Amino acid sequence: MAFSFTISSPASYIPSSSHSLSHGAQTTNKLFLSPLSHPLRSLFSKRGFLSQGSRRELPTSLICALVTVAGDLQDELELPKGEMWSVHKFGGTCMGNSERIQNVGKIIMADHSERKLIVVSAMSKVTDMMYGLIEKAQSRDDSYISALDAVLEKHRLTALDLLDGDDLASFLSCLHDDISNLKAMLRAIYIVGHATESFTDFVVGHGELWSAQMLSLVVRKNGVDCNWMDTRDVLIVNPTSSNQVDPDYSESEKRLGRWFSQHPSKTIIATGFIASTPQSIPTTLKRDGSDFSAAIMGALLRPRQVTIWTDVDGVYSADPRKVSEAVILRTLSYHEAWEMSYFGANVLHPRTIMPVVKYDIPVVIRNVFNLQAPGTMICQSSVSDNNGQMLESCVKGFATIDNVALVNVEGTGMAGVPGTASAIFDAVKAVGANVIMISQASSEHSVCFAVPEKEVKAVAEILRSRFRQALDAGRLSQVAVIQNCSILAAVGQRMASTPGVSATLFGALAKAKINVLAIAQGCSEYNITVVVRQDDCVRALKAVHSRFYLSRTTMAIGIIGPGLIGRTLLDQLRDQAAVLKEQSNIDVRVMGITGSSTMLLSHSGIDLSRWRELLKEKGEVADLDKFVQHVHGSHSIPNTVLVDCTADSNIASHYYNWLRRGIHVITPNKKANSGPLDQYLKLRALQRQSYTHYFYEATVGAGLPIISTLRGLLVTGDKILRIEGIFSGTLSYIFNKFVGTRAFSDVVVEAKEAGYTEPDPRDDLSGMDVARKVIILARECGLKLELSDITVESLVPESLRTSASAEEFLQLLPQFDQDFAKKRQEADSSGKVLRYVGVVDVVNEKGKVELVGYKKDHPFAQLSGSDNIIAFTTERYKEQPLIVRGPGAGAEVTAGGVFSDILQLANHLGAPS
């Protein structure tokens, strides 16, 4: 026989028929106490005590008996706490459909903890649907009825997939009762045209009730001792004025103990998001409330850990939608998680972490769709290795907030005047604006703060109104607004103990040509915050992320001129790319290749193993402006490099504008540095004034360190007296082979066939290539010389300089073999050999290129093949010049010199050396 008691529903609490699925059978309007289960346990399962309504309808003697036995039941079971518990939270995405709910059930059963409490959100999109019902009803929009039917159908179909038999019938009965009650409540809201906060909270909380019931039945169907908990019976919170709630841990702990004494299950499925006020009025924990529910439960149960299941592998070092190289962080401290959450990182809401910090309970972020990923652990401190050395960077991650505006209040009348800042922020508070960041100079001349862009108009208006008298009198000069801004925050607990973090951060921003509008940093140094233009935000984020080794130093490279040197460089990059990534954290991405007629563009990086085929298959008409814009402007990679592998003076004429736009330039092209002096000086002045780099080592000695050696001597205070050398690998080869009785013309043909000369050997024999190298070195030494100031002895007979083609020139060259043979004979008779040299006479501010005879014991006479040799005579190296010698011709060594410049640039940009 069943006892039936009618329970009234006071305004402070409207019970849900969904309680019929708790440990004892309950319905919305009646409590049915079956003699097959403990009647008192069923009766008290609603809130652990009787409502005022039920006290009025029960005899006093029965009430006393019930309360006495209830006390005995509480004595029977004390709530266990400690590491035997594990707490899990599954969000709406995890509970998105029947298949995912079954997957959640498997994860629960795979956890072999002695006791488990699982907090669940409503099914995906359901909370938004419930808020939509309220909005439609308040607006007197009749479609709230069909929208409610959609909610019913979503859960009905899910239940049909998951449940069967009595479980299905029981849940569907409960679901239909709830929908009927909601329909009546929404009808009342429709009539009144308004919903109170408690009504709204009651309505939107149903999604969690339904998902918790379904999951508990799924788990129980697999033979697991399981109960579901309506956390409105347990969690008590006090609403605050800031649209948040403060948990009442003491009362919640008592109620949890009561609930557990009535439902001593080892697996508990609890509703997230919802709770009650001390007056038993239904409420919610606001957005991200399910995470908060799990953390509160963690504080009450002291579990081994709290696991938050979501749809990402963990916490990223930056937003992966903006930084493709963002990495999963293995650990975060509580402080780091707070900071990253505040600044918009998709971690946890800051308040979510607060309940677990007191008891040092780790929070682990896991991916429900990738169980192999270990996730991110949020705990007291970061992981250390055996030597106590932190395993991760001092800057853990970066977060951004977009759509921000800066408000700057400034004036001489602010300095030293107490209460000015208070008056400013009282005014901001009056319009309900949220101040995200504050920055004030120590001079007190100005106060700068950031607010959401949608609130800045109201803020500016009230400030100008409140301070109208001060503005008119000149005590305040302006209330200025800068819109379209973003906030970028660098977060890391170890920043406080690591010198140079700020310098590194701002250096990375400067090198990426990012202008910082405002700065804020607390004395704790857990974060450094900067404000930048929103258009620059992604590039700024990429730049700082790369600089702190959280991603590889990444360079977007455009190769101009896939000729002999260009294609050799591309092949070298292809062969070395993996090694650079693994060993040096350098990520070189060729985003474009262009020749004179065809170009190939890529948004993610060209596959260098197939660049030749791709250029043929997917190439488009070459357009230098479009090419540069693509490499520099279409990507979030902060560092752009253009590598000019041509000998084209037109390409060289663009260097200045590229550098001004923040594009680094690397080239073996001699035309820019040996061109008109005024353009050269303008180019070098720009380079020195900016963080944009211009490298041209390969312009003089191919792969030999000629420019770098000269710079090293100059910057260390040495004085250059003379530079003399064999600068042409082609002419070195020719005169090394021009021995015995060999004809000069035969040697030139041999050099051409071996690939040492230009297609037209006259380009080498004219001496202009050597002259350009001489002028480059002269200008590096500070000499202001034009190319025309260099005296050049051409090896091209005057009558052959106008030959129509290279072939014609080579056919006629034998006519002059006797002239060259005579010069060789004169040198031989003096014990000398012929060498074609360039000379920079720094003392006399002159330069020349000529054919000279050297004694056979001279270093220049001992060359072989196509080697170059350069002698630096300086104040330090006066008696015995400093000599650099090595191969000076050929595509391999020239491309290698360009490659070396690329790596030097990477080191300047932050790659480990």
Side-chain angles (χ1 to χ4, degrees):
M1 176 179 181
F3 302 91
S4 177
F5 300 98
T6 301
I7 302 295
S8 65
S9 299
S12 62
Y13 196 99
I14 303 176
S16 166
S17 64
S18 57
H19 291 284
S20 62
L21 295 178
S22 66
H23 191 72
Q26 301 175 11
T27 63
T28 302
N29 299 317
K30 293 186 178 182
L31 286 176
F32 293 98
L33 305 184
S34 169
L36 301 179
S37 62
H38 201 302
L40 301 178
R41 181 167 294 165
S42 299
L43 181 60
F44 281 82
S45 65
K46 182 75 196 94
R47 288 193 299 261
F49 55 90
L50 291 171
S51 69
Q52 292 298 319
S54 60
R55 285 182 181 273
R56 287 195 295 268
E57 297 195 22
L58 294 177
T60 303
S61 58
L62 180 55
I63 292 174
C64 293
L66 291 174
V67 172
T68 301
V69 178
D72 294 339
L73 281 172
Q74 281 189 274
D75 293 337
E76 289 176 15
L77 273 177
E78 183 176 347
L79 176 67
K81 297 179 182 179
E83 294 194 355
M84 80 279 290
W85 284 97
S86 65
V87 172
H88 298 264
K89 178 263 174 177
F90 294 93
T93 303
C94 305
M95 302 287 290
N97 54 43
S98 57
E99 181 181 353
R100 292 181 181 181
I101 293 174
Q102 286 177 327
N103 185 52
V104 168
K106 293 176 183 177
I107 293 173
I108 294 169
M109 289 180 282
D111 179 359
H112 299 299
S113 301
E114 182 180 342
R115 295 182 180 276
K116 292 167 282 192
L117 186 140
I118 291 85
V119 176
V120 294
S121 299
M123 292 180 68
S124 179
K125 307 298 183 185
V126 166
T127 300
D128 289 337
M129 293 171 75
M130 302 303 281
Y131 276 114
L133 294 175
I134 296 290
E135 291 171 5
K136 290 177 186 294
Q138 286 185 128
S139 304
R140 296 191 171 94
D141 181 348
D142 291 329
S143 67
Y144 80 86
I145 298 173
S146 59
L148 182 60
D149 290 339
V151 172
L152 167 64
E153 188 66 5
K154 181 180 180 75
H155 289 84
R156 188 185 72 83
L157 293 175
T158 303
L160 288 172
D161 282 345
L162 293 172
L163 309 174
D164 51 32
D166 292 342
D167 288 344
L168 176 61
S170 177
F171 175 78
L172 291 179
S173 174
C174 156
L175 177 65
H176 283 285
D177 286 346
D178 283 348
I179 294 295
S180 296
N181 288 337
L182 288 173
K183 191 170 291 185
M185 180 173 286
L186 291 168
R187 177 62 182 170
I189 294 171
Y190 178 93
I191 293 170
V192 176
H194 174 70
T196 63
E197 183 179 356
S198 58
F199 267 47
T200 299
D201 287 346
F202 177 76
V203 170
V204 300
H206 275 73
E208 279 70 20
L209 295 171
W210 297 326
S211 64
Q213 292 175 64
M214 284 193 289
L215 180 60
S216 68
L217 291 171
V218 168
V219 173
R220 193 183 302 171
K221 191 164 71 170
N222 286 276
V224 176
D225 174 24
C226 176
N227 245 311
W228 81 277
M229 173 196 292
D230 181 347
T231 48
R232 293 177 301 185
D233 300 337
V234 172
L235 296 187
I236 304 301
V237 296
N238 293 295
T240 67
S241 58
S242 56
N243 195 34
Q244 293 187 0
V245 294
D246 293 330
D248 184 335
Y249 289 102
S250 176
E251 181 61 27
S252 297
E253 187 172 12
K254 292 176 184 176
R255 296 197 181 197
L256 179 59
R258 291 173 188 159
W259 188 95
F260 185 80
S261 70
Q262 298 157 26
H263 311 289
S265 303
K266 290 191 174 182
T267 300
I268 300 170
I269 312 296
T271 55
F273 184 55
I274 56 177
S276 294
T277 67
Q279 295 77 35
S280 297
I281 299 173
T283 188
T284 67
L285 303 182
K286 314 311 173 190
R287 288 293 185 180
D288 298 307
S290 294
D291 289 349
F292 198 18
S293 299
I296 296 170
M297 286 298 183
L300 297 176
L301 294 173
R302 323 284 201 274
R304 174 175 52 84
Q305 70 180 35
V306 174
T307 304
I308 307 293
W309 293 90
T310 180
D311 57 356
V312 294
D313 286 344
V315 180
Y316 283 88
S317 53
D319 187 341
R321 294 168 298 182
K322 298 178 179 179
V323 183
S324 59
E325 296 81 12
V327 298
I328 297 293
L329 299 172
R330 291 194 312 167
T331 61
L332 278 174
S333 71
Y334 295 128
H335 284 290
E336 290 165 340
W338 276 332
E339 296 285 354
M340 290 188 72
S341 299
Y342 177 77
F343 285 101
N346 186 22
V347 186
L348 297 169
H349 194 281
R351 62 184 180 154
T352 302
I353 307 167
M354 294 178 188
V356 298
V357 173
K358 180 178 179 181
Y359 302 105
D360 195 13
I361 301 168
V363 176
V364 180
I365 312 296
R366 295 281 307 276
N367 189 346
V368 73
F369 305 117
N370 183 13
L371 301 182
Q372 285 70 41
T376 300
M377 177 176 287
I378 301 171
C379 52
Q380 193 64 45
S381 60
S382 298
V383 176
S384 301
D385 64 16
N386 294 332
N387 298 319
Q389 182 73 27
M390 291 295 179
L391 297 177
E392 298 188 80
S393 170
C394 60
V395 177
K396 278 296 185 68
F398 300 90
T400 58
I401 303 176
D402 293 328
N403 302 314
V404 169
L406 274 181
V407 180
N408 187 42
V409 182
E410 64 178 59
T412 55
M414 294 174 58
V417 179
T420 303
S422 175
I424 290 171
F425 293 112
D426 280 346
V428 175
K429 180 182 178 182
V431 295
N434 177 35
V435 176
I436 305 171
M437 187 203 84
I438 303 171
S439 178
Q440 180 177 12
S442 57
S443 66
E444 299 183 54
H445 178 70
S446 67
V447 175
C448 174
F449 57 93
V451 297
E453 202 161 47
K454 62 184 180 182
E455 299 173 356
V456 72
K457 183 178 179 181
V459 170
E461 287 175 353
I462 195 168
L463 286 174
R464 289 171 183 142
S465 173
R466 291 276 182 97
F467 292 97
R468 174 53 54 197
Q469 184 176 353
L471 287 165
D472 292 342
R475 296 194 305 276
L476 289 183
S477 58
Q478 66 172 345
V479 176
V481 173
I482 304 175
Q483 295 185 316
N484 300 317
C485 297
S486 291
I487 289 177
L488 167 63
V491 174
Q493 190 164 336
R494 291 181 59 219
M495 288 163 54
S497 59
T498 306
V501 173
S502 295
T504 303
L505 176 76
F506 291 112
L509 291 172
K511 288 177 181 178
K513 305 291 286 185
I514 304 296
N515 185 37
V516 176
L517 303 176
I519 304 166
Q521 180 179 11
C523 60
S524 67
E525 287 191 72
Y526 287 140
N527 89 68
I528 302 172
T529 304
V530 300
V531 180
V532 299
R533 294 284 184 186
Q534 189 159 322
D535 290 344
D536 292 333
C537 183
V538 172
R539 198 155 49 91
L541 183 61
K542 291 280 293 186
V544 296
H545 189 272
S546 177
R547 182 63 185 87
F548 282 93
Y549 309 107
L550 293 174
S551 68
R552 306 173 183 94
T553 300
T554 307
M555 292 181 285
I557 293 183
I559 303 292
I560 303 172
L564 183 59
I565 294 172
R567 63 174 176 261
T568 305
L569 174 63
L570 285 165
D571 291 341
Q572 290 177 354
L573 289 170
R574 173 201 63 203
D575 296 340
Q576 200 66 12
V579 176
L580 290 175
K581 284 184 180 181
E582 182 178 350
Q583 296 184 0
S584 302
N585 288 329
I586 298 172
D587 189 357
V588 176
R589 301 185 188 180
V590 177
M591 313 304 285
I593 302 170
T594 184
S596 58
S597 59
T598 308
M599 67 181 182
L600 174 65
L601 306 178
S602 170
H603 291 286
S604 58
I606 295 169
D607 179 358
L608 295 184
S609 66
R610 300 181 56 245
W611 72 265
R612 290 174 176 84
E613 303 96 279
L614 293 172
L615 186 61
K616 292 178 182 178
E617 296 170 5
K618 299 184 178 181
E620 54 188 277
V621 176
D623 181 328
L624 187 61
D625 290 338
K626 180 180 178 182
F627 177 83
V628 173
Q629 179 58 35
H630 172 84
V631 176
H632 183 54
S634 301
H635 313 280
S636 56
I637 298 173
N639 307 304
T640 305
V641 189
L642 292 176
V643 181
D644 174 18
C645 295
T646 73
D648 191 332
S649 57
N650 179 55
I651 300 294
S653 69
H654 291 278
Y655 293 177
Y656 182 85
N657 287 330
W658 292 345
L659 291 169
R660 193 171 60 179
R661 290 171 61 184
I663 301 172
H664 308 287
V665 177
I666 294 173
T667 185
N669 186 346
K670 293 177 275 292
K671 297 298 173 63
N673 285 13
S674 62
L677 180 62
D678 59 337
Q679 294 181 21
Y680 167 80
L681 294 175
K682 182 181 176 183
L683 184 65
R684 293 303 307 277
L686 174 64
Q687 180 197 2
R688 294 187 184 100
Q689 293 167 7
S690 70
Y691 283 93
T692 310
H693 296 281
Y694 172 41
F695 291 126
Y696 44 87
E697 182 71 74
T699 57
V700 175
L704 295 179
I706 306 302
I707 300 290
S708 56
T709 299
L710 176 56
R711 285 182 176 174
L713 293 170
L714 291 169
V715 298
T716 57
D718 202 352
K719 184 178 180 181
I720 309 298
L721 304 176
R722 181 183 177 90
I723 303 173
E724 183 178 5
I726 298 172
F727 293 102
S728 168
T730 301
L731 294 172
S732 176
Y733 178 88
I734 288 173
F735 283 100
N736 282 330
K737 296 293 184 179
F738 185 47
V739 293
T741 60
R742 295 198 67 184
F744 185 76
S745 60
D746 289 343
V747 176
V748 173
V749 170
E750 178 185 312
K752 184 177 186 302
E753 291 174 349
Y756 285 113
T757 73
E758 294 294 331
D760 189 337
R762 285 175 295 181
D763 293 339
D764 299 293
L765 296 173
S766 69
M768 290 309 299
D769 182 68
V770 176
R772 289 186 181 278
K773 296 178 181 180
V774 168
I775 199 70
I776 290 170
L777 292 176
R779 289 174 175 178
E780 288 288 320
C781 294
L783 302 184
K784 292 181 172 56
L785 299 177
E786 294 282 6
L787 185 60
S788 58
D789 295 327
I790 306 299
T791 303
V792 180
E793 180 183 348
S794 175
L795 299 180
V796 180
E798 188 170 353
S799 63
L800 300 186
R801 293 173 190 174
T802 57
S803 295
S805 65
E807 290 72 19
E808 182 181 336
F809 164 73
L810 291 174
Q811 288 174 1
L812 298 175
L813 184 59
Q815 298 175 12
F816 299 89
D817 282 344
Q818 286 297 326
D819 295 337
F820 286 103
K822 182 179 178 182
K823 292 180 181 181
R824 179 179 59 194
Q825 186 177 356
E826 290 173 354
D828 284 343
S829 62
S830 303
K832 297 179 179 180
V833 296
L834 293 176
R835 295 292 183 258
Y836 195 71
V837 299
V839 178
V840 180
D841 185 349
V842 181
V843 175
N844 296 307
E845 298 185 0
K846 294 180 179 179
K848 59 183 177 180
V849 177
E850 58 185 349
L851 187 63
V852 180
Y854 289 92
K855 291 288 187 182
K856 292 184 179 180
D857 60 351
H858 192 281
F860 286 17
Q862 298 170 11
L863 287 185
S864 62
S866 62
D867 281 3
N868 282 6
I869 186 168
I870 295 88
F872 295 93
T873 303
T874 72
E875 289 286 358
R876 294 177 189 161
Y877 297 95
K878 188 180 296 184
E879 300 301 325
Q880 186 175 352
L882 174 64
I883 291 177
V884 177
R885 173 180 171 174
E892 287 289 339
V893 293
T894 304
V898 176
F899 199 167
S900 179
D901 275 348
I902 293 174
L903 298 183
Q904 185 182 355
L905 173 62
N907 289 332
H908 279 277
L909 296 174
S913 57

